[in-house]
Amino acid sequence: KVTAEEAQALANQGKPVVTAMKNDSGHGHVQVVCPSQDGSYNPQKGVTIAQAGRNLYDYAYVTQVYNASLSKLTYFAHR
């Protein structure tokens, strides 16, 4: 487990990182954290992700995909 800021930094270094969203009333969701275009982390927008689901994104901020609270997200990285 890592923080959101660590997740973005590790993805920017090319390390494999995912984020998982817990959904208490149904299934959750997992996305790949991708390197940010400007090399930074935006705490208001969250990490940058790629994901497949109802909508496909090859690059988006996690808050563009969910209306969920960022506190429901957990980040996992392989160092």
Side-chain angles (χ1 to χ4, degrees):
K1 276 184 166 182
V2 295
T3 66
E5 189 169 6
E6 290 170 323
Q8 188 66 73
L10 290 165
N12 290 348
Q13 295 171 24
K15 307 285 184 183
V17 183
V18 296
T19 180
M21 183 191 79
K22 182 177 182 177
N23 181 356
D24 294 327
S25 61
H27 71 282
H29 197 69
V30 175
Q31 295 108 169
V32 174
V33 180
C34 60
S36 60
Q37 291 174 343
D38 65 1
S40 68
Y41 168 69
N42 184 317
Q44 284 75 40
K45 293 181 180 180
V47 297
T48 53
I49 55 109
Q51 73 124 37
R54 181 179 305 157
N55 297 307
L56 303 175
Y57 294 93
D58 61 0
Y59 184 87
Y61 287 98
V62 72
T63 52
Q64 290 174 267
V65 177
Y66 299 126
N67 290 329
S69 167
L70 291 176
S71 65
K72 291 189 176 195
L73 298 171
T74 305
Y75 305 89
F76 301 93
H78 180 68
R79 298 175 193 230

